[in-house]
Amino acid sequence: QVQLIESGGGLVQAGGSLRLSCAASIRTAMGWFRQAPGKEREFVAAISSIGGTTRYTDSVQGRFTISRDNAKNTVYLQMNSLKPEDTAVYYCAAAQNTAVLRTTPEYWGQGTQVTVSS
């Protein structure tokens, strides 16, 4: 069982930045999903267990950056140029590799709220 502990959500104005963190109990591929009110949960970004491979959904490409500190088994999501449509609960996720993570994550964090005001 992989434990995922998230932090870093909050309220920010449009154009601002936030950084989310997710600490895992083991080293594995990790990523982020988000779910806005009334919408399905969607993939945001993923990073391989070593960090050499990253993936993003089109709507955040160029604004969000996923990275990891393997010494701490922690993944970060730096979110810049935030838009009101980025408002959602953001969930950390983990799986054996990024391909599996994008479609069927095996483990989930508890979620952290990100609210972007216009």
Side-chain angles (χ1 to χ4, degrees):
Q1 187 78 7
V2 178
Q3 306 295 324
L4 302 174
I5 308 291
E6 303 159 354
S7 62
L11 172 65
V12 65
Q13 289 188 331
S17 298
L18 280 175
R19 189 177 80 157
L20 306 181
S21 301
C22 179
S25 55
I26 65 170
R27 181 184 296 183
T28 183
M30 296 173 68
W32 295 90
F33 285 69
R34 64 187 180 186
Q35 187 166 19
K39 295 187 177 181
E40 294 187 355
R41 193 173 297 189
E42 65 171 353
F43 169 77
V44 176
I47 189 166
S48 61
S49 59
I50 297 175
T53 300
T54 57
R55 297 286 185 264
Y56 299 92
T57 191
D58 289 347
S59 63
V60 308
Q61 186 79 43
R63 299 188 298 122
F64 291 10
T65 301
I66 190 169
S67 62
R68 66 186 303 147
D69 181 341
N70 284 334
K72 299 179 180 179
N73 282 342
T74 298
V75 170
Y76 306 97
L77 185 68
Q78 178 67 41
M79 304 184 293
N80 298 329
S81 302
L82 282 161
K83 305 175 181 180
E85 51 263 44
D86 294 316
T87 295
V89 177
Y90 283 70
Y91 295 91
C92 181
Q96 57 185 301
N97 57 58
T98 55
V100 172
L101 191 145
R102 289 194 69 164
T103 56
T104 52
E106 297 166 284
Y107 304 98
W108 293 96
Q110 77 281 7
T112 185
Q113 178 70 46
V114 171
T115 302
V116 184
S117 63
S118 57

